[in-house]
Structure formats: C-alpha cells, structure tokens
C-alpha cells in the first residue's frame, strides 16, 4: 500500500510505499531530487486506516486482516507507552529504558500469545485492575480466526461490527492512556532523529502528520467520540448495548474522519487505482 507525497523541489506527486519504520527515502520521479518523509503515525493507526479504506472500497474480507493487525500493534503500542511512562518517573535514561524495552519485546515479538501476556501485566500495573476485555469475545478472536485462517467469507455487516469493536477498544485504551501515549511517540521521534543524522547534504526532510481515524487525539482535541466505552455491569448482561454503542462510535468516526482516508488514493482527492 502506498501514499502520495509531494516533491519539495518540483511539487510532483510521488507515490511511496508505507515503510515499517515510518521513514521513507524518496527520489522524485520527475526532477530526481532526494527527500526523506518522516511519517508521524503509529503502525496501528496506519493498519486501522488501511482496513477502513478497504472496507469503504468493498473489500470486507481483506479489511479483517488489517483490523486484526491494528489491534495487535496497538497492544504493543500500549505496552511501550506504559513502560516508557514508568521509566520516565524514575532516574532512568530514556535511551536505556528504550533499549531494555526493545530487548524485552524481542522475546515476545514472534508470538502474539506472549504479547497478550505482556499487555495484561502492563494494564494491571498501570490501571490497577483486570483487563476484563481480554476475552475471545472482547477481542473478536473467533471471528478473526474464521476469516483469516479458515477462509470464511464474512458479510460486510459482520466486518463492520468487528471493526467497530476493535475501534471502540483502541479508543477506550487511548483515552485511558491519555498523555501516556506521548512516551511511545517520543520513541518514534528518536528513530527519526537517528535516521536524520545519517542523511547526506542535499536531502530535504519532510515531516508529515496524516489525519486518520484516531488522529484527533494526537492534537489534544478530544471529540465527543473519545468518551470511554461504558463498562458492562456484569459479564454478558449488556452485550447488545455495548455492541450498539461500539457501532455508533465507529460510524460517527467514519462520518467525521472517513473522508480523510482518501489520502490513500491521492493527495488531490482523485481516485487512482
Ligand atoms: Zn521533484
């Protein structure tokens, strides 16, 4: 998947593939100028936006993989934010704390079950309570596995409900994280700074902040959307209420920010396929 960037030298629109690192070294196809695009966006945001775009374009089944990956990467983001936030309250050096975190994550990186364990403890330590949503139902695990591993063809309605539950969970946890999220974003800035230091003279640096389904929070402008999900009174008793609430939340976010995702098509808003 790629996104449009505008050459700082000649204004030509070059399409660039999303890089895992959020760092994109670009050579303009028209004038040959070199520039580097730093995308201030977390992986889970990119993935969720890609899923939403796929859903809007009618690729419901394909969207599921992106939403599922967005949730996994968000849980990692939470662990990183919570860990770095704790370290910030001590005398620990940020770089040392980040290195310890990266080293620890390597032990769990290839197994999502281990990552869930990391998340559960990070949540307990930060919030002082059980992450009650870490159930197969709360995570939509059965639906996800049916679609991704067993080739099930989901209806659009089912995928929208899944997207809504993932959106509501991330939205709630981002709200709980509050300013804590900034600690994980600082880690991304460090990656950018390290790459910046290696760039030769003559390379123009471009920082971009793409709006998307979760972006409003970044700028501290909380919309009514950011009200946390109301907790269920008892397990199961308000499932229908919760589901309706999640779907309303997701639909409002789509109405408010969905058009922003046209960015994936073209900077000028024209569809290009
Ligand atoms: Zn150019």
């Amino acid at each position: 998947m790629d996104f449009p960037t505008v050459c700082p030298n000649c204004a030509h629109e070059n399409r660039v593939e999303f890089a895992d690192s959020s760092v994109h070294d670009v050579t303009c196809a028209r004038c040959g100028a070199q520039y580097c695009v730093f995308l201030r966006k977390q992986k889970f945001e990119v993935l969720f936006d890609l899923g939403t775009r796929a859903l809007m374009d009618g690729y419901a089944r394909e969207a599921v993989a992106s939403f599922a990956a967005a949730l996994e990467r968000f849980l990692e983001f939470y662990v990183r934010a919570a860990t770095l936030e704790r370290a910030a309250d001590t005398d620990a050096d940020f770089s040392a704390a980040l290195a310890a975190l990266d080293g620890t994550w390597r032990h769990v990186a290839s197994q999502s079950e281990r990552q869930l364990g990391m998340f559960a403890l990070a949540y307990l330590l930060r919030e002082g309570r059980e992450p009650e949503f870490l159930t197969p139902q709360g995570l939509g695990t059965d639906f996800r596995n049916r679609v991704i591993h067993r080739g099930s063809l989901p209806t659009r309605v089912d995928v929208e409900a899944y997207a809504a539950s993932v959106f509501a969970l991330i939205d709630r946890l981002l709200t709980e994280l509050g300013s804590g999220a900034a600690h994980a974003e600082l880690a991304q800035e460090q990656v950018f700074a390290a790459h910046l230091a290696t760039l030769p003279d003559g390379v123009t640096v471009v920082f971009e902040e793409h709006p998307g389904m979760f972006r409003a929070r970044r700028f501290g402008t909380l919309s009514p959307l950011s009200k946390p999900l109301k907790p269920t009174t008892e397990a199961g008793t308000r499932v229908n209420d919760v589901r309706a609430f999640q779907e309303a939340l997701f639909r409002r976010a789509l109405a408010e920010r969905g058009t922003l995702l046209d960015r994936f098509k073209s900077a000028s808003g024209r569809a290009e396929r």
Side-chain angles (χ1 to χ4, degrees):
M1 195 70 173
D2 56 15
F3 65 99
T5 68
V6 174
C7 171
N9 186 47
C10 76
H12 177 69
E13 185 180 296
N14 296 292
R15 300 197 66 86
V16 178
E17 280 196 294
F18 280 106
D20 257 2
S21 60
S22 288
V23 175
H24 309 82
D25 292 305
V26 188
T27 302
C28 177
R30 185 200 278 163
C31 75
Q34 288 185 297
Y35 61 105
C36 183
V37 179
F38 294 102
L39 187 56
R40 286 197 172 108
K41 193 159 192 170
Q42 298 294 327
K43 181 70 74 60
F44 77 87
E45 295 180 272
V46 174
L47 288 164
F48 196 92
D49 286 353
L50 290 175
T52 306
R53 186 70 254 169
L55 186 60
M56 291 165 79
D57 285 349
Y59 299 97
R61 187 176 190 286
E62 288 73 8
V64 175
S66 291
F67 290 131
L71 180 56
E72 286 194 358
R73 296 288 58 81
F74 175 76
L75 297 182
E76 176 183 357
F77 176 82
Y78 184 99
V79 169
R80 293 177 70 80
T83 306
L84 294 172
E85 182 184 34
R86 280 174 84 84
D89 286 339
T90 68
D91 293 335
D93 171 64
F94 183 80
S95 297
L98 187 57
L101 172 61
D102 287 341
T104 304
W105 192 261
R106 275 196 287 279
H107 293 287
V108 307
S110 60
Q111 284 167 277
S112 56
E113 288 298 320
R114 288 184 174 190
Q115 295 174 22
L116 276 180
M118 291 272 283
F119 171 83
L121 183 62
Y123 187 85
L124 172 64
L125 290 177
R126 189 173 191 276
E127 301 295 333
R129 61 176 184 272
E130 172 198 348
E132 84 294 342
F133 45 85
L134 280 193
T135 58
Q137 190 188 29
L139 300 176
T141 311
D142 293 343
F143 173 75
R144 168 197 179 279
N145 289 344
R146 266 203 317 278
V147 173
I148 294 180
H149 298 306
R150 297 206 288 280
S152 169
L153 296 176
T155 64
R156 186 187 167 112
V157 169
D158 286 344
V159 178
E160 281 178 356
Y162 177 66
S165 71
V166 171
F167 181 82
L169 180 55
I170 294 178
D171 189 68
R172 165 193 161 166
L173 291 170
L174 274 176
T175 302
E176 291 181 1
L177 265 181
S179 59
H183 294 274
E185 299 194 286
L186 190 57
Q188 186 174 56
E189 295 299 321
Q190 287 226 333
V191 171
F192 293 169
H195 188 80
L196 197 57
T198 68
L199 289 176
D201 290 342
V203 176
T204 308
V205 172
V206 179
F207 285 93
E208 290 198 13
E209 299 214 22
H210 292 185
M213 293 290 280
F214 297 104
R215 292 301 287 172
R217 191 176 312 281
R218 285 292 190 82
F219 308 104
T221 51
L222 298 182
S223 74
L225 280 173
S226 24
K227 270 187 254 162
L229 188 64
K230 291 184 196 110
T232 52
T233 45
E234 292 192 14
T237 56
R238 293 181 54 202
V239 164
N240 289 334
D241 286 1
V242 170
R243 185 164 164 158
F245 179 78
Q246 289 173 343
E247 290 181 9
L249 196 67
F250 180 60
R251 266 198 295 275
R252 256 195 298 166
L254 260 186
E256 274 186 15
R257 304 169 205 157
T259 51
L260 299 172
L261 305 182
D262 282 338
R263 221 198 136 80
F264 289 124
K265 292 186 169 176
S266 140
S268 52
R270 285 189 316 270
E272 284 177 13
R273 285 206 154 263

